[in-house]
Amino acid sequence: MNRMPYPAAESVPPAVQALLDARPPRNVFRMMAHAPALMPGIMELTGAVLYRAKLDPVLRELVILRVGNLCGSSYEVAQHRKIAQAIGLTKEKIDGTALDADPALYVGNELLVLRMTEQVVRRVKADDELFAAATAALGHELTMELLVVIGLYVMLAQVLENAEVALEEGGGPSQQEVRRIFDSQVMK
C-alpha cells in the first residue's frame, strides 16, 4: 500500500497528464505527478538515460540493479531485472547485483562500474584510484553518464521507497513488452 494515493487525473495539470497518457502506465511516474513542476524533467532524464545515453546498456542495467539493491528498492529492481534480461544479461549476473561486485562473475568494465556504484552510493565520492580507473577506461563522457545514472536511480529509489510505490498490477509490463521496447539494445 502506498503512503500517498496517486493523484486523481482531474487534479493533474493537462500537460503532465498528457505525458502520463502518452506512455505505458508506470506507478513511479503516476506518483511523481504530485510534483508536476518536476515530473516532466525526471521523465526526460530517465528517457535520455534509457534510450539516448552512450553508456553501454549492459553496464547501465548492472548499475541500476546495483543501486536498487543497495537502496532496497524492490520496485526499481523488479522493473530493471526485466530490462536486463531483455538486453541479454544472464540470470547469474542479474542476481549477482544483490551482492558486492564479484570478480569471479563480472569482468572488465562490468566490475569497474559496479565498484564505482558501490562507492558512490555508500560514500558519495569514489576514491581517487577508482575514479581515475573509470575515466581511463570509459573516458570523461561515459564516466559522467555513469555518475548521472547512479545519482538518478538513487533519487528514484528514495522516492519509490519513501512513497512506498507498489509495482503495477500484475507486476508491470510483461517480459515480451520489455523485450520489444529494448530490442535495439540487445547484446550482440
Side-chain angles (χ1 to χ4, degrees):
M1 183 59 119
N2 301 336
R3 282 178 152 176
M4 287 194 261
Y6 296 111
E10 60 274 5
S11 71
V12 175
V16 171
Q17 189 62 49
L19 285 174
L20 291 171
D21 292 343
R23 291 166 176 75
R26 297 290 178 267
N27 288 346
V28 61
F29 295 122
R30 288 177 58 210
M31 185 62 74
M32 285 189 190
H34 279 297
L38 304 178
M39 193 211 62
I42 294 168
M43 288 181 83
E44 174 59 30
L45 182 55
T46 58
V49 163
L50 293 174
Y51 306 111
R52 297 187 301 278
K54 294 179 182 175
L55 186 65
D56 182 324
V58 167
L59 300 180
R60 178 197 72 219
E61 290 306 315
L62 288 172
V63 167
I64 294 169
L65 286 167
R66 189 68 186 121
V67 166
N69 279 298
L70 285 167
C71 294
S73 179
S74 57
Y75 183 101
E76 199 165 82
V77 171
Q79 294 291 19
H80 285 273
R81 285 182 69 85
K82 293 176 190 177
I83 297 171
Q85 183 181 348
I87 64 168
L89 272 164
T90 65
K91 182 180 183 321
E92 183 179 42
K93 286 189 176 186
I94 293 168
D95 291 347
T97 63
L99 306 169
D100 283 348
D102 180 356
L105 182 57
Y106 302 104
V107 296
N109 287 345
E110 294 174 345
L111 191 59
L112 177 70
V113 301
L114 287 168
R115 286 185 171 152
M116 276 287 287
T117 302
E118 291 163 4
Q119 282 196 15
V120 171
V121 171
R122 289 178 175 145
R123 301 189 321 211
V124 177
K125 184 177 181 181
D127 65 44
D128 290 343
E129 183 180 339
L130 183 57
F131 191 85
T135 58
L138 301 173
H140 293 144
E141 181 178 10
L142 296 184
T143 300
M144 186 54 61
E145 285 190 1
L146 170 62
L147 292 169
V148 169
V149 171
I150 295 168
L152 171 63
Y153 282 88
V154 166
M155 182 272 300
L156 289 171
Q158 291 168 335
V159 168
L160 288 162
E161 289 307 302
N162 278 285
E164 294 182 358
V165 176
L167 270 174
E168 292 77 16
E169 194 169 314
S174 71
Q175 189 62 51
Q176 293 76 17
E177 291 173 286
V178 172
R179 188 171 290 117
R180 183 180 42 78
I181 294 167
F182 289 93
D183 190 47
S184 65
Q185 296 180 12
V186 174
M187 293 171 34
K188 305 297 186 238

